[in-house]
Amino acid sequence: MPAKTFLNYYLKESKVERILFGDNQFFGVNHMSEEKARAQAMKFQDIKAIIDVLDAAYDEGIKVFMCTTHERIGEVCDHMRAHPERYKDFQFYPCMPYAHKYANAVTEMGILEALKSFLPEEGAFNAMFKGGMSLAQKDVEGLGQLLIDAEMKMFHDLQTPVIFLQNVVTDLLLGLDFKEAFRIFADHVKNKYNAEPGFITMNMPKLLDVLEELGIENPIVCSNINKIGFRMCGGVDAYENAIAKRHFRPVAMSVFASGAIAPKEALEYVCQQEKIESIVFGASSRGNIRQTKQLIDQMSSYA
Amino acid sequence: MIRVALIGLGKMGLSHHAIINPHPDVKLVAVCDSSGYVLDILNKYVGIKCHTDYKKMLAEEQLDAVFIATPSRFHGEMVRAALDMNLHVFCEKPFCLDLTDGQRLMELAESKGLVNQVGYHYRFVATFQEMKRLVDANAIGRIHHIRAEAYGPVVLKPKGSTWRTSRSEGGGCLYDYASHGIDLVNYIVGRPHSVGGTVLSKVFSRDVEDEVYSTFYYPDGKTGQIAANWSDESYRKMSTSVTIWGANGKITADRQEVHIYLRDGSNEKLNLSKGWNTRYTTELTGEVWYYLRGEEYSAQIDHFIQSIKSGCRDTRSTFRSALEADLVAAMMIQDAKNSHVDAAFPAGIGSAPAKKGKLWPSFARNLLD
């Protein structure tokens, strides 16, 4: 890492907010029940219903919305921009990309055409292929930057201090051993958006090894952390060990394992691990948001 | 270490690559694809050995097994080449579009005692495994109907031209979506002996079907139905479910949960109460060494590798069972060409021309008369 980037990185490294509000409930994602997911998708098909819940979370003191770059988030962004006073402390932690958009497009169009369809303008993409040169010889970094920019477009003029790479992409790149892509992501997010890179993964201990090797210091890594080890590859012990001993900023998601663990028990498990910086959770009602936040606050204060 | 190579770097190929690579018992030796751009990137950034000619790769590399994730029309020749070199083979679905070819390959793999598996990953989803376990344990008594459904948002507008939009290459909703439903039906209650009322309709595609419906018949009187539609935007990704009705209740399963309804009393042996019981993926799913996009994708690869290691040749999704899925799909294509019962109106009713339809049931004519 060049000295300037390194310094820059350290100067602005900040604590991740303790409580992050997630968005799975808004888009029909529920890892335990498709029926529940569908009911939620219906409930939140009107953007106002989403805003109401975000307002409730914000008024309860949760300032961060950790959200996928789903196209409907664009409408949320419009709302926030239209009411700057109301949301002056509101922050987005975008998680990119919304992978199903890509996966469905790849099935329909093939990899190259799918990439093309998500870039801002065809000219930029075509320019990369001119002269019959292959993508690799040209500019993978440039392509990566264009894809990141396309996903970030909806957040213009809003606060995005942390930008996450979604787990399906992180874990695809990690499995392939495509380490350079993590560096491309981290650099672009820092340089262009003045934000900190975050990585969502289902294979946390393994990802830490690679980020360490790349010299990405004290990374923000979001992974499932729950008592029953649901989608924690490497196992509960390896996770607990990594959290206790390794130098990174852990963000816990899926702490309730989609409802398989009772709230109090689930949050106790996470809050007891002092080095976990943040907890992301989703809820659909003010009552649930308040209750969960109170539990986290209580347990964090005497942890 | 099991030494493997991978042919085909499309969506499934890349996914397999990312899952195979971290497997503790496997060394991914080389990959092969005909197109340059993905290969160039992997070669440059991942450092894996890349080939563009699979025959050359099979000849040059020291291998134990090969993963084939090319469009289905290439499966036949590639599987044969691999088997001829005594390699264990994992092949993507659908297995082989030519049934005769498929049968020969199945026989070749079995006679050589090589591990053979096809990527019907729903067989590795814990909820569907639980469903099969309960059916096999006779939890809901004699089965009289099974219904498999698969919906998702793949083709949502009139365009697109990849191999998936060409039936002869193994594309279309039948091979892409419905085949999973067919295979699950075969897995859980066995293959139907005949099919009827098959509908293969286009919604947006020009050359292939976007929706599939069919009825399955079994010798014991049991029936099945299949419904698949890959032009349904209300789903954010492919969503598959199976419902089974038995004389003593029903079971419904999707990727997340299994619901069991028992009519008569509880079943202590299976830990089921009278009425509704629910089992969730969180309690049913075993841990995998690497997670990319669902435990089942990792589990099927591990199953293949462990089969090679243990000498077990009877995988959970063999060439034989995949050929049976291909056979049912072929029956459905044939059936869809069959003529239907016409609404030939009896004379004097409405404005329809007086046509004495031989298929118009006499009881209906009597009613109308």
Side-chain angles (χ1 to χ4, degrees), chain B residues 46-256:
Chain B
V46 172
I48 183 95
K49 191 163 179 195
C50 296
H51 291 263
T52 49
D53 178 348
Y54 80 91
K55 286 180 184 151
K56 200 160 162 260
M57 178 174 81
L58 296 183
E60 283 178 7
E61 307 293 348
Q62 286 293 314
L63 301 170
D64 299 307
V66 65
F67 285 77
I68 298 170
T70 53
S72 310
R73 74 183 157 102
F74 299 113
H75 289 175
E77 60 166 271
M78 289 175 174
V79 170
R80 178 173 304 282
L83 293 175
D84 282 343
M85 303 204 59
N86 294 316
L87 301 178
H88 305 292
V89 177
F90 181 106
C91 180
E92 255 318 311
K93 48 72 56 175
F95 174 46
C96 228
L97 303 179
D98 181 325
L99 295 176
T100 321
D101 214 16
Q103 178 152 2
R104 284 198 200 108
L105 294 171
M106 173 193 87
E107 286 164 359
L108 183 59
E110 289 177 355
S111 69
K112 285 186 166 234
L114 293 164
V115 176
N116 54 92
Q117 193 174 327
V118 175
Y120 279 109
H121 53 80
Y122 280 99
R123 289 187 180 225
F124 294 85
V125 172
T127 47
F128 294 120
Q129 279 173 24
E130 176 68 0
M131 182 178 227
K132 177 167 173 58
R133 189 182 75 86
L134 293 172
V135 167
D136 289 349
N138 201 31
I140 54 168
R142 180 182 55 83
I143 306 296
H144 53 88
H145 190 72
I146 179 165
R147 184 167 298 169
E149 296 167 89
Y151 306 109
V154 176
V155 178
L156 298 173
K157 47 188 178 299
K159 65 165 195 159
S161 56
T162 67
W163 64 269
R164 284 179 203 270
T165 55
S166 165
R167 166 88 65 70
S168 62
E169 295 193 39
C173 182
L174 173 62
Y175 286 132
D176 206 78
Y177 264 44
S179 62
H180 282 296
I182 294 167
D183 185 64
L184 274 177
V185 168
N186 290 355
Y187 177 52
I188 298 167
V189 300
R191 175 171 65 78
H193 79 292
S194 65
V195 306
T198 303
V199 174
L200 303 174
S201 306
K202 297 175 175 65
V203 180
F204 299 113
S205 294
R206 193 188 58 205
D207 301 318
V208 289
E209 69 289 337
D210 297 313
E211 54 178 355
V212 176
Y213 307 100
S214 188
T215 301
F216 295 173
Y217 300 93
Y218 290 81
D220 65 356
K222 166 171 77 230
T223 57
Q225 276 182 334
I226 193 146
N229 173 353
W230 72 358
S231 298
D232 185 342
E233 201 190 63
S234 71
Y235 291 84
R236 67 186 185 98
K237 58 175 184 173
M238 184 182 180
S239 176
T240 304
S241 64
V242 177
T243 305
I244 303 177
W245 285 265
N248 187 34
K250 85 171 184 181
I251 309 175
T252 170
D254 58 30
R255 223 174 142 264
Q256 275 81 18

Side-chain angles (χ1 to χ4, degrees), chain A residues 34 107 134 171 175 203 231, chain B residues 11 21 40 239 256 290 295:
Chain A
E34 290 195 5
T107 304
S134 76
D171 291 332
N203 307 279
R231 295 206 173 135
Chain B
K11 192 168 87 171
N21 209 27
D40 281 350
S239 176
Q256 275 81 18
Y290 194 80
E295 286 84 357

Side-chain angles (χ1 to χ4, degrees), chain A residues 264-285:
Chain A
K264 192 159 178 284
E265 191 188 350
L267 291 169
E268 241 163 28
Y269 173 76
V270 175
C271 292
Q272 272 164 7
Q273 302 184 64
E274 287 173 30
K275 288 181 73 183
I276 294 176
E277 286 211 5
S278 310
I279 298 167
V280 53
F281 78 93
S284 304
S285 72

Side-chain angles (χ1 to χ4, degrees), chain A residues 28-29 31-34 100 104 107-110 112 134 136 171-172 174-176 178 202-203 231 233 235, chain B residues 11 17-18 21 40-41 44-46 153 162 164 236-237 239 256-257 280-282 287-288 290-292 295:
Chain A
V29 183
H31 299 298
M32 207 144 91
S33 162
E34 290 195 5
H100 291 299
N104 292 327
T107 304
E108 190 196 348
M109 300 180 267
L112 209 57
S134 76
D171 291 332
L172 176 68
L174 180 67
L176 292 173
F178 195 156
M202 298 289 172
N203 307 279
R231 295 206 173 135
C233 275
Chain B
K11 192 168 87 171
H17 184 160
N21 209 27
D40 281 350
I41 292 176
K44 183 169 171 188
Y45 292 97
V46 172
T162 67
R164 284 179 203 270
R236 67 186 185 98
K237 58 175 184 173
S239 176
Q256 275 81 18
E257 52 193 339
Y280 295 103
T281 176
T282 38
E287 200 186 310
V288 292
Y290 194 80
Y291 182 99
L292 179 58
E295 286 84 357

Side-chain angles (χ1 to χ4, degrees), chain A residues 11-254:
Chain A
L11 284 176
K12 61 182 278 325
E13 185 181 289
S14 54
K15 239 183 141 51
V16 186
E17 281 284 328
R18 176 67 175 167
I19 303 179
L20 316 175
F21 197 64
D23 72 342
N24 274 352
Q25 69 282 6
F26 297 146
F27 300 116
V29 183
N30 184 302
H31 299 298
M32 207 144 91
S33 162
E34 290 195 5
E35 208 172 311
K36 265 183 220 152
R38 191 155 42 243
Q40 286 172 332
M42 287 175 194
K43 178 173 175 184
F44 292 113
Q45 67 177 338
D46 180 359
I47 204 75
K48 182 161 181 313
I50 295 179
I51 303 282
D52 285 348
V53 175
L54 288 177
D55 281 351
Y58 189 55
D59 294 341
E60 291 297 327
I62 302 174
K63 297 192 187 76
V64 176
F65 182 34
M66 181 166 166
C67 60
T68 344
T69 51
H70 190 289
E71 58 186 9
R72 294 196 60 211
I73 293 293
E75 297 172 57
V76 175
C77 294
D78 291 341
H79 178 83
M80 301 301 174
R81 270 190 296 268
H83 304 89
E85 264 312 298
R86 168 82 170 98
Y87 300 107
K88 66 176 189 303
D89 294 325
F90 195 94
Q91 296 181 339
F92 288 90
Y93 286 5
C95 308
M96 64 174 62
Y98 178 60
H100 291 299
K101 181 175 76 177
Y102 284 88
N104 292 327
V106 168
T107 304
E108 190 196 348
M109 300 180 267
I111 290 176
L112 209 57
E113 287 301 312
L115 282 178
K116 226 174 185 174
S117 74
F118 291 116
L119 290 173
E121 46 192 271
E122 291 231 334
F125 188 84
N126 290 338
M128 285 188 193
F129 281 87
K130 73 181 176 202
M133 290 179 83
S134 76
L135 187 57
Q137 286 164 313
K138 291 297 276 186
D139 194 0
V140 161
E141 181 145 15
L143 176 65
Q145 291 173 350
L146 282 174
L147 288 169
I148 294 167
D149 292 347
E151 298 288 319
M152 282 302 290
K153 212 170 161 189
M154 66 175 85
F155 298 100
H156 69 89
D157 301 324
L158 295 167
Q159 297 183 60
T160 56
V162 179
I163 299 172
F164 281 99
L165 196 61
Q166 281 285 19
N167 55 289
V168 70
V169 177
T170 304
D171 291 332
L172 176 68
L173 296 168
L174 180 67
L176 292 173
D177 229 2
F178 195 156
K179 295 170 191 162
E180 180 68 7
F182 295 126
R183 188 201 56 78
I184 292 172
F185 175 76
D187 283 355
H188 193 58
V189 155
K190 278 183 243 167
N191 297 337
K192 176 147 184 186
Y193 298 96
N194 201 26
E196 289 205 63
F199 303 89
I200 309 177
T201 181
M202 298 289 172
N203 307 279
M204 183 253 274
K206 192 173 162 56
L207 178 70
L208 291 178
D209 295 341
V210 170
L211 295 180
E212 196 173 291
E213 189 189 322
L214 286 168
I216 298 178
E217 286 272 332
N218 198 20
I220 300 169
V221 175
C222 176
S223 62
N224 280 18
I225 299 178
N226 55 63
K227 207 178 177 175
I228 60 169
F230 178 56
R231 295 206 173 135
M232 292 163 64
C233 275
V236 174
D237 291 347
Y239 270 59
E240 288 178 358
N241 203 34
I243 292 163
K245 296 184 183 148
R246 300 186 72 162
H247 188 48
F248 74 115
R249 287 170 283 170
V251 177
M253 66 173 180
S254 213

